[in-house]
Amino acid sequence: MYDYDMRVSMNFARGLAEILAEYTGMPQDELEIAIETPPDSKMGHFAFPCFGLAKEAKKAPPAIASDLAEKIEASRPDWLGQAVATGAYVNFFLNRAAFASNVLFDVLEGGEGYGADGEGLGQAVIVEYSSPNIAKHFHVGHLGTTIIGKVIDNVYRFLGYEVTSINHLGDWGTQFGKLITAYKKWGSREEIEKTEIEGLVKLYVKFHEEADKDASLNDEARSWVIKMQDGDEESLEIWRWFCDLSMKEFNRVYDRLDIIFDSITGESFYNGQMEAVAEILENKGLLKESEGAKIVDLEEWNMPPSLILRRDGGTLYTTRDIAAAIYRYETYEFNKCLYVTGNEQSLHFAQWMKVVELMGYPWSGGLEHVPYGMYLFESGKMSTRRGDVIKVEDLLDEAVAKTLAIINEKNPELLNKERVAEQVGVGALKFGKLYNSRIKDTVFDWDRMLNFEGETGPYVQYTHARACSVLRKSLSADSNMDFGALGVALITGTTFDSSILDDDEAFDVLRILHDFPAKVVDCAEKYEPFIIARHMVALAQAYNTFYTKHQILVDDEPTRRARLALTAAVRTVLKTGLGLLGIAAPAVM
Ligand code: ARG
């Protein structure tokens, strides 16, 4: 848990808004929104446009700007370096030393809670993600939701929301009738036990081959589905076994991705609630018959009808989603319930969420689909036909093997090479998915993901390890002080002088550190992990520029202390940021 009282961050935009409110009489929160960040910090660190005020005062904007700048200059607080009018803007320059001590104090005192502003306290959020399908491999089609969903899960927790992560496994539906049929006809328990999902996939393929020749197999499969729905023990026993086997592979993947769900409730969980859903819909006059099936007509909203019950009495993916939403509200009273899935399911979510809205549930506005783009491989779209899919386990192995090869070349003496390769390889794969707006497709490219100098996971991890190494060197060999405590010690000493950090390179680093909490909030609001991912790259780049230009472990005590404090703050924020992205931050690599 994060300590929300630790966050003392001075928000400079807010500070400026407070001053501006005094002179303009405008509400402070409106002013805060109006404050801009100039594209080039040589123009100022913040800018306030005076067009709006000018309209009201019936004066030219530049006149208002210079009037305001003059008044602010006359009694400006320590942390503000200068207020100047430039055209229609008042440009503000921060006092660098004051800014530096403020930011460093916030980051280092805040430690791993820096940025955790507690905005979500008292609010419940459900993040549903991953949700692979039983009896199919954990393939690349579920990798995006797993990586992105985990970040949203982390970020909401970090901000103090009460998060429940749910894995809505695809463990119910017609495919299980086919599988049971195939298993009873051609399956061997030992063989499947040994090969896990592979064996089940083979059975599934075999079923389709045989059903092409003998259509009666389909009837048999359907009858197994009805039996399962009615609680028939024989079918359920086999089905449970399929689930357990599949979970072995899924859990290996979750272990490596460092993911634990609060709740694994698959579609089967809602089997008993199908009739109740249909009944509510019936009572509300929403259900219609159509060719023997039951549907909800959505023509008025320009969508195809939502299919609720099949003609043969079989239940559907959609109906289970409706039941799950109702169950989740009753169980968790969520403020928001998020569904992270591929954008190819957007229509499905729009349809059933509309149905829930029509049912009149006041909480339906809290349901939100969070779609994302797919992976593109050079060989074209990944194939899911007839079982030849790209398995996530294989991708993980490949990522790690390639990383190990790079380590063997760059740093063959590294201790725990295998472990670091796992952390960096898996991190690279995750970061590759997180670096762009989630809706964009991701072109799969190992060389780009694993480029230690690129805008990548390894680059950010490497910079973190570099900061750790600098800090380690500053400690005596027998010291066992951790870096968090070291950071606090650095700024609380009497020789700490933040005015040393007034160069452009340090200032760039400090600005990025200062903006981190706002970026986390922005990421949460937009469900966009790239906002944090890119901020981490920017921080790493800025720190590396600082590192190249300024020696840190110099003899002069105040200089050394100030630069080390900056380094300690960078380490803290890189670690937190990587953590939110679900990526490990090894101290050596
Ligand atoms: N198992 C589904 C699939 O692989 C994804 C489930 C998404 N979640 C949901 N509530 N429908 O397509």
Side-chain angles (χ1 to χ4, degrees):
M1 263 322 265
Y2 305 99
D3 181 354
Y4 294 102
D5 292 334
M6 272 304 258
R7 215 194 78 121
V8 281
S9 188
M10 158 106 199
N11 181 320
F12 288 90
R14 195 164 302 157
L16 289 174
E18 206 172 298
I19 296 173
L20 285 165
E22 197 178 310
Y23 296 112
T24 62
M26 269 172 74
Q28 194 181 315
D29 38 341
E30 264 174 50
L31 289 161
E32 193 179 329
I33 296 167
I35 290 169
E36 297 172 7
T37 309
D40 179 355
S41 58
K42 289 194 182 59
M43 294 163 66
H45 306 129
F46 294 98
F48 176 68
C50 298
F51 306 102
L53 286 175
K55 219 179 270 167
E56 219 160 283
K58 298 205 177 76
K59 263 166 84 179
I64 305 253
S66 67
D67 186 41
L68 253 180
E70 204 173 301
K71 284 188 187 145
I72 294 169
E73 271 294 299
S75 61
R76 112 176 98 70
D78 283 352
W79 53 264
L80 188 56
Q82 206 192 0
V84 277
T86 312
Y89 288 83
V90 182
N91 286 340
F92 297 98
F93 291 86
L94 300 174
N95 172 319
R96 289 190 175 190
F99 183 65
S101 65
N102 236 298
V103 172
L104 292 181
F105 183 83
D106 283 354
V107 175
L108 295 171
E109 287 286 330
E112 63 182 41
Y114 174 66
D117 76 352
E119 69 160 35
L121 291 176
Q123 290 192 65
V125 172
I126 289 176
V127 188
E128 187 218 276
Y129 62 101
S130 197
S131 311
N133 299 320
I134 296 294
K136 290 189 186 155
H137 284 297
F138 197 130
H139 64 81
V140 70
H142 290 104
L143 184 56
T145 161
T146 308
I147 292 173
I148 294 167
K150 175 64 175 168
V151 180
I152 295 173
D153 176 353
N154 286 342
V155 167
Y156 273 84
R157 272 178 221 270
F158 185 65
L159 292 175
Y161 291 85
E162 201 177 296
V163 176
T164 306
S165 58
I166 298 183
N167 189 341
H168 188 73
L169 287 176
D171 62 358
W172 206 243
T174 48
Q175 67 274 31
F176 293 99
K178 296 176 184 173
L179 269 177
I180 294 176
T181 306
Y183 169 65
K184 299 216 42 129
K185 288 203 177 332
W186 313 292
S188 129
R189 195 148 188 132
E190 296 90 83
E191 171 67 15
I192 296 170
E193 213 40 86
K194 251 191 290 170
T195 55
E196 296 176 6
I197 293 178
E198 200 55 48
L200 297 175
V201 170
K202 278 197 191 129
L203 276 182
Y204 197 63
V205 172
K206 171 102 175 154
F207 177 89
H208 281 282
E209 282 166 5
E210 297 296 325
D212 282 347
K213 293 177 258 168
D214 175 5
S216 76
L217 285 170
N218 288 315
D219 299 328
E220 200 170 320
R222 255 189 298 276
S223 73
W224 278 115
V225 174
I226 302 297
K227 279 193 197 169
M228 284 173 68
Q229 283 180 192
D230 292 344
D232 164 71
E233 208 22 65
E234 185 194 359
S235 59
L236 288 177
E237 191 275 326
I238 301 172
W239 164 81
R240 241 176 260 122
W241 174 55
F242 291 164
C243 292
D244 292 344
L245 281 177
S246 308
M247 284 314 292
K248 286 189 186 172
E249 178 176 320
F250 297 175
N251 285 332
R252 286 195 299 270
V253 171
Y254 293 134
D255 274 352
R256 293 183 73 179
L257 296 178
D258 197 18
I259 288 174
I260 297 172
F261 292 95
D262 294 317
S263 163
I264 302 189
T265 34
E267 294 180 39
S268 64
F269 185 78
Y270 305 99
N271 181 47
Q273 293 156 47
M274 297 295 99
E275 264 107 79
V277 170
E279 210 176 288
I280 302 170
L281 286 166
E282 187 81 69
N283 292 341
K284 301 231 171 199
L286 292 165
L287 220 50
K288 270 195 189 167
E289 264 301 307
S290 169
E291 294 166 30
K294 305 265 193 187
I295 62 157
V296 176
D297 186 14
L298 297 174
E299 205 181 331
E300 202 176 317
W301 295 275
N302 291 320
M303 288 187 280
S306 188
L307 197 50
I308 302 294
L309 287 174
R310 298 151 64 99
R311 196 182 4 190
D312 62 13
T315 62
L316 289 147
Y317 185 48
T318 297
T319 321
R320 293 192 279 277
D321 261 328
I322 296 171
I326 297 171
Y327 172 84
R328 287 177 193 173
Y329 188 75
E330 283 169 357
T331 310
Y332 304 103
E333 289 185 33
F334 57 75
N335 297 83
K336 266 199 230 201
C337 180
L338 307 175
Y339 297 82
V340 185
T341 81
N343 55 14
E344 70 280 0
Q345 293 202 30
S346 291
L347 177 61
H348 162 75
F349 281 95
Q351 285 175 298
W352 76 254
M353 286 178 182
K354 177 53 86 180
V355 173
V356 174
E357 187 193 318
L358 294 174
M359 290 166 99
Y361 291 112
W363 45 263
S364 67
L367 300 169
E368 247 178 289
H369 180 219
V370 180
Y372 66 90
M374 63 177 153
Y375 278 106
L376 298 177
F377 291 82
E378 258 167 51
S379 51
K381 200 183 143 176
M382 47 128 199
S383 168
T384 50
R385 287 295 296 163
R386 305 271 147 178
D388 56 335
V389 293
I390 298 172
K391 289 162 62 179
V392 170
E393 279 197 303
D394 293 343
L395 285 180
L396 291 170
D397 287 345
E398 205 170 337
V400 174
K402 283 179 187 291
T403 307
L404 192 57
I406 297 172
I407 294 176
N408 277 328
E409 195 190 297
K410 288 195 174 208
N411 189 2
E413 306 300 312
L414 180 69
L415 291 172
N416 296 320
K417 266 193 278 192
E418 273 75 22
R419 190 176 139 73
V420 175
E422 177 80 24
Q423 293 175 316
V424 175
V426 174
L429 192 62
K430 289 182 175 176
F431 202 90
K433 187 70 194 165
L434 299 170
Y435 193 65
N436 287 304
S437 168
R438 67 181 144 75
I439 206 70
K440 275 180 75 174
D441 290 340
T442 306
V443 179
F444 203 93
D445 180 348
W446 285 121
D447 290 338
R448 196 171 52 209
M449 281 187 284
L450 290 169
N451 179 354
F452 279 48
E453 274 102 49
E455 294 166 354
T456 62
Y459 175 70
V460 176
Q461 286 173 315
Y462 180 77
T463 309
H464 170 268
R466 165 177 272 179
C468 289
S469 150
V470 173
L471 296 172
R472 201 176 310 111
K473 280 188 201 139
S474 80
L475 292 167
S476 57
D478 59 347
S479 167
N480 59 0
M481 193 184 235
D482 71 63
F483 296 148
L486 171 62
V488 174
L490 285 164
I491 49 165
T492 44
T494 47
T495 52
F496 177 68
D497 176 3
S498 67
S499 70
I500 289 163
L501 298 171
D502 70 347
D503 55 88
D504 289 346
E505 295 76 28
F507 188 71
D508 279 346
V509 173
L510 289 160
R511 279 211 70 149
I512 297 171
L513 294 172
H514 170 264
D515 290 348
F516 176 68
K519 295 287 175 182
V520 176
V521 171
D522 202 24
C523 163
E525 275 169 7
K526 301 190 171 113
Y527 318 122
E528 282 290 15
F530 85 84
I531 293 172
I532 294 176
R534 290 189 178 226
H535 203 63
M536 289 302 106
V537 168
L539 179 57
Q541 287 170 341
Y543 180 70
N544 285 323
T545 304
F546 174 82
Y547 177 93
T548 321
K549 234 178 156 170
H550 304 276
Q551 237 190 310
I552 296 170
L553 297 169
V554 291
D555 288 337
D556 180 60
E557 165 72 13
T559 305
R560 177 184 159 95
R561 202 173 246 274
R563 291 181 180 163
L564 276 171
L566 186 73
T567 302
V570 168
R571 186 216 58 105
T572 298
V573 173
L574 285 177
K575 178 150 196 218
T576 304
L578 284 170
L580 291 175
L581 298 175
I583 297 175
V588 192
M589 67 180 264

